[in-house]
Amino acid sequence: MTGRAARSELPSAKLCRDLAVAHERAGDPAGALRWSLALTDTDADLGAWSAAAGVLRRCLPRTAPLPRSARVAVLGSYTTSQLTALLPLAAARAGVAVETYECGYGQYRQEILDPDSEFYRFAPDVVVLAVHAGDAVLPAVSEHPDAAVAAEVRRWTSLWETMRARCGARIVQHAFALPAEVALGHLALRTAGSRPALLARVNAELGRAAGDGVALVDCDRLAAEVGRRAWFDPRYWNRAKQAVALDQVPLLARHTAAVIGAQLGASRKCLVLDLDNTLWGGVLGEEGLAGIALGEGPLGEAFAAVQDYALELKERGVVLAVCSKNNDADAREAFERHPGMRLRLDDIAMFSACWDDKPTQLRRIAATLGLGLDALVFVDDNPAEREAVRQLVPEVDVVALPADPHGYVRALADYPFFETTALTAEDAARTAAYRARAEFAAAEAAATSLEEFHRGLDMTATVVALDELTLPRVAQLVGKTNQFNLTGRRRSAEEIARLAAEPGTAVLCIRLTDRFADHGLVAVVIAVTEGDALAVDTWLMSCRVIGRTLEDEVAGLLLAEARRRGLARVTGHHRPSPKNALVAELYPRLGFRPVDAPDDPGALGTTHWSRSVDAPYASPGLLRVVLPPVAAPRVAGAGGQAAESPMPSRHVFAQPRPQSTREEVSR
């Protein structure tokens, strides 16, 4: 079976299933898991998915932990047992290990409204509201469509508010798939109060109402992709109250898991593109600049469409990189001179065109951009290159392109793991920031000493308030940052806002600029008063600025804030994860001493640290720190120089706050 699989880029669903079972029987749980997850990328049916889900359930506990884990409750208005059974498999493909809870058929509202329900005792991290159009309280035709839509939207958002208040879980709701059968026929388009028009408006209004911590799965788009008659089969509904045809449940599970992964910060970040026969037709080194197909004619339009789609991904925050076997100067000339090019060099964060093999180039791209290999998605027309990447850098996701370039955009669009929770100003500028990081790496290599290099960057760190403008970016950092993340806590914007509103909480939000770029908001620290200490609850920094001594300045700011509050020390802890070994020695490097802490069975390997505010501290002083313009006592600042203390914590969150300020927001 392994030999047969090696002869095909995408083995059949049956072969993936059989290999998963065979590896499990042979005592190889890692191999069984690998083939179970491979099955999710095929056109496998419900039976094959169910078999692979069983293998995963038995083998996952015996393999290395996945990057994320979550408790997921599925609350449905129809029979959701098949969806719930497949979610762990789909979520594992997205990098999340899930434990599931399923409410009884149609009992979602009762479970949400009852504070003592089994649902709340499960303490979910994520709630999936699996509801269908039949559960929408809308007439066939409404004489007051605005009121009908508003009432229906309020019906669902009130459930969100109840769940968020009682358990703080993130919510993923299935938006309504419009039915294929429309009694009004084409007249429904002209009738504002028709049920299809109302459902479409409710979907749109729910999307607008869904803030941080709430996401929607566009089931109407999925139904349109497969055909509405294929999405809803009345036989399944009449016999088992199954609102989604069984053949389509794997698709729904896959996209639901992708949205859950985005909520938990598990999305992929970087699209790495080949050039020849991927971004243009033909081989540049053989055809020359005038000979490649791009922009004109059917084939040229197909490649132009690929570039247009890549630009759309860039605008939503996906970082673009190039990985090509080519002469660098020739490849760059195509971007600069060919009239059909949509992409420009400024759109590419890392441009790698050389004769190294693709796995070597991909490792270099990841290292230069400060990303993990598991943040990369590779696109190449050559099946041999794709297979080399799968074999040698298996952490990288590989998109299997069809032989016909006209199908490339659809293949890219079918890849679901670029999902994100929201769009921020930093998203649109992300490629520029990562391109600056690549230029930074080149300058670093040319410097004679690291200190000289850092001084030459002309870095400025600016402490800014946590407010309605910075909160979305802070929540995004908290949700996604892995490497420089001392505790690994994940919180939504609402949870961060509630915690920031506590009088004993201090929040530092820091922007960084240098001579290459404005990197935006790159560091967040949340600390709370505990006895005589300012205890670091969350400390994270974007991978773009790791190693620039910003962490040394942050430590000085924390010590200054503790002194301002009249506290004796700053404490913190490092909770190890598969990705944050980078900061394991941060506290001792900054002069913190180890301390004992009560045993915590759920925090294996966690270390605890403390530093007196009276002990001398001097940061390297290689960057300038700008504090908010608030009058405050003078304290020791960056480089041992006098500086204003951080903005008082009661001022760092400048917007209306919730009335309940004592609610615990994390588990």
Side-chain angles (χ1 to χ4, degrees):
M1 287 190 290
T2 302
R4 284 164 49 203
R7 293 191 292 272
S8 172
E9 181 181 9
L10 290 178
S12 68
K14 179 179 183 303
L15 186 53
C16 289
R17 180 199 63 195
D18 292 346
L19 277 164
V21 172
H23 278 274
E24 180 185 13
R25 290 174 177 170
D28 178 14
L33 182 62
R34 183 174 67 253
W35 284 108
S36 294
L37 298 183
L39 179 141
T40 66
D41 291 329
T42 70
D43 59 353
D45 59 16
L46 179 67
W49 268 71
S50 298
V55 172
L56 177 125
R57 183 176 60 254
R58 295 186 295 271
C59 293
L60 186 59
R62 295 184 285 150
T63 61
L66 295 175
R68 299 279 194 280
S69 62
R71 296 164 65 84
V72 177
V74 180
L75 307 183
S77 65
Y78 60 90
T79 301
T80 56
S81 53
Q82 292 86 359
L83 173 65
T84 305
L86 300 190
L87 262 183
L89 178 64
R93 175 64 181 86
V96 181
V98 303
E99 177 186 352
T100 58
Y101 166 83
E102 181 185 15
C103 80
Y105 164 73
Q107 298 296 305
Y108 70 94
R109 188 173 296 276
Q110 293 92 317
E111 295 236 13
I112 292 171
L113 297 179
D114 179 5
D116 298 320
S117 67
E118 188 66 28
F119 159 62
Y120 288 117
R121 286 194 289 273
F122 176 70
D125 302 301
V126 179
V127 179
V128 175
L129 270 177
V131 293
H132 71 301
D135 211 49
V137 183
L138 295 169
V141 179
S142 173
E143 295 182 359
H144 306 286
D146 291 345
V149 169
E152 184 64 12
V153 170
R154 181 59 189 163
R155 201 165 71 89
W156 295 105
T157 56
S158 65
L159 294 179
W160 298 351
E161 292 164 3
T162 300
M163 287 186 284
R164 299 285 286 161
R166 289 179 178 170
C167 68
R170 292 172 170 84
I171 297 165
V172 174
Q173 175 157 342
H174 289 171
F176 300 123
L178 276 60
E181 297 79 13
V182 181
L184 277 176
H186 298 289
L187 183 60
L189 281 176
R190 296 173 48 197
T191 307
S194 69
R195 184 175 172 86
L198 296 176
L199 283 169
R201 285 185 58 188
V202 168
N203 281 342
E205 292 300 325
L206 287 175
R208 278 188 278 272
D212 183 76
V214 180
L216 298 180
V217 177
D218 190 353
C219 293
D220 192 55
R221 176 171 67 85
L222 299 180
E225 287 180 5
V226 301
R228 300 188 191 281
R229 294 182 185 276
W231 182 263
F232 180 80
D233 190 325
R235 295 174 300 172
Y236 294 122
W237 176 255
N238 294 333
R239 295 173 181 174
K241 294 300 178 279
Q242 176 68 48
V244 179
L246 294 182
D247 289 344
Q248 309 308 329
V249 174
L251 176 67
L252 179 59
R254 192 168 194 248
H255 282 265
T256 301
V259 173
I260 291 173
Q263 289 285 88
L264 299 173
S267 298
R268 300 273 170 160
K269 298 178 180 178
C270 180
L271 178 65
V272 185
L273 298 157
D274 175 48
L275 296 179
D276 291 334
N277 289 312
T278 300
L279 288 187
W280 55 66
V283 178
L284 181 64
E286 297 176 0
E287 310 289 343
L289 192 59
I292 60 175
L294 181 60
E296 295 184 358
L299 191 59
E301 290 180 10
F303 287 107
V306 173
Q307 295 193 26
D308 287 336
Y309 191 80
L311 282 171
E312 290 184 31
L313 289 175
K314 172 180 172 285
E315 289 303 311
R316 60 176 281 186
V318 176
V319 178
L320 302 183
V322 161
C323 176
S324 173
K325 289 181 179 177
N326 238 310
N327 289 325
D328 182 82
D330 294 342
R332 290 176 183 271
E333 184 184 24
F335 280 76
E336 293 167 342
R337 293 189 54 209
H338 197 286
M341 285 295 299
R342 269 62 165 176
L343 289 168
R344 297 299 177 189
L345 291 175
D346 285 349
D347 298 313
I348 308 300
M350 173 69 177
F351 196 98
S352 178
C354 62
W355 298 103
D356 291 340
D357 59 81
K358 297 293 179 71
T360 297
Q361 292 193 56
L362 287 168
R363 293 189 189 97
R364 186 184 304 126
I365 289 170
T368 301
L369 297 180
L371 295 170
L373 286 168
D374 61 357
L376 272 53
V377 178
F378 180 60
V379 176
D380 193 309
D381 70 292
N382 189 328
E385 298 284 16
R386 298 197 295 261
E387 187 59 27
V389 170
R390 290 191 184 97
Q391 294 291 331
L392 298 176
V393 277
E395 303 92 339
V396 176
D397 251 1
V398 179
V399 176
L401 295 181
D404 185 351
H406 296 282
Y408 285 5
V409 170
R410 181 165 295 176
L412 283 171
D414 285 344
Y415 181 79
F417 301 117
F418 282 132
E419 284 292 334
T420 189
T421 56
L423 290 178
T424 67
E426 280 82 1
D427 291 326
R430 185 164 291 138
T431 288
Y434 276 97
R435 186 175 65 253
R437 184 180 179 90
E439 295 169 354
F440 168 94
E444 185 177 27
T448 58
S449 73
L450 187 58
E451 181 175 341
E452 175 199 359
F453 168 67
H454 281 144
R455 289 193 186 280
L457 285 176
D458 191 22
M459 294 182 288
T460 298
T462 304
V463 180
V464 297
L466 178 64
D467 56 24
E468 67 277 9
L469 300 178
T470 55
L471 181 60
R473 172 58 177 167
V474 168
Q476 188 179 64
L477 279 172
V478 171
K480 290 187 174 183
T481 305
N482 298 312
Q483 296 180 71
F484 197 114
N485 190 334
L486 284 147
T487 62
R489 289 192 175 94
R490 309 291 178 184
R491 288 196 175 94
S492 69
E494 293 172 357
E495 293 168 333
I496 295 167
R498 287 199 295 268
L499 183 57
E502 292 280 355
T505 299
V507 181
L508 292 174
C509 308
I510 302 173
R511 298 180 62 92
L512 186 74
T513 61
D514 61 32
R515 65 185 176 89
F516 291 111
D518 180 346
H519 299 280
L521 203 158
V522 295
V524 176
V525 181
I526 302 173
V528 297
T529 302
E530 292 183 356
D532 68 342
L534 186 63
V536 176
D537 170 273
T538 299
W539 184 353
L540 51 86
M541 293 187 351
S542 168
C543 60
R544 308 177 208 167
V545 298
I546 290 174
R548 295 192 180 202
T549 74
L550 179 59
E551 60 271 28
D552 299 78
E553 306 298 341
V554 170
L557 293 171
L558 281 170
L559 291 165
E561 174 67 6
R563 281 194 295 273
R564 189 195 68 78
R565 291 167 175 257
L567 302 173
R569 57 200 177 103
V570 173
T571 63
H573 62 279
H574 171 252
R575 179 174 296 151
S577 74
K579 291 191 174 184
N580 75 350
L582 171 74
V583 292
E585 300 300 320
L586 178 69
Y587 280 123
R589 184 178 72 74
L590 294 173
F592 285 69
R593 296 182 179 277
V595 294
D596 295 330
D599 291 336
D600 182 355
L604 185 64
T606 298
T607 55
H608 298 262
W609 305 87
S610 176
R611 195 185 201 284
S612 169
V613 299
D614 294 329
Y617 182 82
S619 61
L622 300 177
L623 55 82
R624 187 166 67 101
V625 178
V626 177
L627 297 168
V630 175
R634 306 282 289 182
V635 297
Q641 300 299 314
E644 295 293 335
S645 69
M647 179 182 290
S649 60
R650 64 179 178 272
H651 293 151
V652 298
F653 192 76
Q655 67 175 27
R657 299 172 182 167
Q659 293 300 311
S660 175
T661 61
R662 290 290 177 186
E663 181 175 352
E664 178 60 37
V665 297
S666 68
R667 286 176 294 278

